[in-house]
Amino acid sequence: MTELSLEAMQRDCEKLIRNPDIRKWNQSYFFNFYDRNTGCGAFIRMGFLENLCESNCWAIFFRDGKPLFLRSNMNLPYTEDRPDPGVTLAGITFKVEKPLQSCRVTVAHEDFSADLVWDQLFELCDSIHVGKDEKSDDDAIGRELSFYHPEGVCSVKGTLKLKNGETVAIDTTGWRDISAGPRNWSGLHHYRLVWPIFDNGMACVAVHGITDHGHSYQKILHDGTRWMAIDRMEEEIEYYEDGVRFKSGHWKIWDETGRLWEFTGKPMFHWHYPFDTFMMVEQMMEFRLADGTLGYGMGEGGFNFPWRGNGN
């Protein structure tokens, strides 16, 4: 069996990592961005469930709150290909250009294409281990969703080509993440997260999961100089009437030095992703720190069926 030490997963996470002993063993890769100058953004993901012989992917692009290109394939044949050296699913390609630093993402369709590169602005940080909260009621995120989950803030540059012949130049920032471990959505009743990137350099991963046993967290913050753990967080999320789309939010985050980062957020675009008896709703959001500093990034909620609640 492939070595599954933390060091091995760090080294090989963009390559094939096998684990026949965990039925829902998963490797996944996620990219997003929002470009305020063009109003364009995207959520792009691939997931590989080796022992279920399944792959999945999506590429959702939007501009000014309206869709540009929508592709979701939630149960595709399995492939052993990975971003290193390259993988293509349903016209979406991830190809590592420099391991753990740069990855090219392309989408090829007769009516739409994208060619974008995510380049790390600073090193990836594993939010499962650095962000582990010893005071949590439960370690459900690390147990049920991922053993290793590095995230990073990147520059995102490239082009979109639309079916009307328009070419849109993208030059902005965005997130990427990598995951290796189990992916058992039914292990959580609900989770909510935000990934803002602020103009002052602060960015954070703030994930809150709810299970039968209590609360589980995945939380790290970059203050513009270095990654650090988040000591504690509080959030208030208001939903639309459907109970799954964020309408607004208010977050208070205390980092490991005791500094308080307080911000609010409102969505600019929503999209739903069905996973059989689980659903994710992603929204691209505009955030604002208490001092008025703007930021942009993703807010996401996950919901279990039969309905187990939305955390409120």
Side-chain angles (χ1 to χ4, degrees), residues 97-258:
E97 298 208 323
K98 191 173 183 180
L100 297 177
Q101 294 188 44
S102 181
C103 190
R104 182 177 295 274
V105 176
T106 60
V107 178
H109 186 272
E110 62 182 356
D111 289 332
F112 176 89
S113 65
D115 188 348
L116 299 161
V117 176
W118 272 254
D119 279 314
Q120 296 301 126
L121 294 178
F122 31 81
E123 73 281 0
L124 293 165
C125 182
D126 176 17
S127 59
I128 295 293
H129 294 88
V130 174
K132 185 175 177 61
D133 187 348
E134 302 296 342
K135 296 176 285 188
S136 293
D137 303 314
D138 188 20
D139 187 27
I141 293 174
R143 184 183 65 248
E144 305 286 356
L145 297 187
S146 185
F147 290 161
Y148 177 60
H149 203 281
E151 286 100 354
V153 177
C154 306
S155 67
V156 184
K157 297 181 180 181
T159 57
L160 312 179
K161 293 184 179 180
L162 313 186
K163 69 179 180 182
N164 63 4
E166 181 182 358
T167 296
V168 181
I170 301 299
D171 187 353
T172 186
T173 55
W175 286 94
R176 69 171 299 196
D177 80 30
I178 301 170
S179 182
R183 188 52 58 99
N184 178 30
W185 294 115
S186 63
L188 276 75
H189 297 175
H190 164 67
Y191 74 85
R192 68 267 297 270
L193 65 80
V194 286
W195 284 0
I197 304 170
F198 288 98
D199 289 347
N200 64 1
M202 191 279 258
C204 68
V205 173
V207 186
H208 177 189
I210 300 172
T211 73
D212 283 332
H213 305 288
H215 299 265
S216 180
Y217 296 91
Q218 177 185 351
K219 44 191 177 63
I220 53 175
L221 181 144
H222 199 286
D223 67 354
T225 302
R226 67 178 180 92
W227 284 111
M228 62 186 70
I230 292 171
D231 182 61
R232 68 185 179 99
M233 57 181 275
E234 298 174 1
E235 85 261 282
E236 297 177 6
I237 294 177
E238 180 185 5
Y239 292 95
Y240 283 100
E241 292 76 9
D242 58 18
V244 297
R245 290 178 300 141
F246 291 5
K247 187 175 184 179
S248 64
H250 183 187
W251 289 264
K252 293 181 179 180
I253 291 175
W254 287 265
D255 67 29
E256 64 183 31
T257 72

Side-chain angles (χ1 to χ4, degrees), residues 233-293:
M233 57 181 275
E234 298 174 1
E235 85 261 282
E236 297 177 6
I237 294 177
E238 180 185 5
Y239 292 95
Y240 283 100
E241 292 76 9
D242 58 18
V244 297
R245 290 178 300 141
F246 291 5
K247 187 175 184 179
S248 64
H250 183 187
W251 289 264
K252 293 181 179 180
I253 291 175
W254 287 265
D255 67 29
E256 64 183 31
T257 72
R259 284 178 298 181
L260 170 62
W261 306 83
E262 185 173 0
F263 57 90
T264 57
K266 59 182 181 180
M268 302 179 294
F269 178 78
H270 303 85
W271 203 254
H272 297 59
Y273 306 91
F275 272 105
D276 301 325
T277 60
F278 199 86
M279 177 177 70
M280 291 188 296
V281 179
E282 291 179 343
Q283 33 262 306
M284 190 60 70
M285 302 183 69
E286 180 180 86
F287 297 96
R288 190 177 295 271
L289 285 167
D291 66 4
T293 302

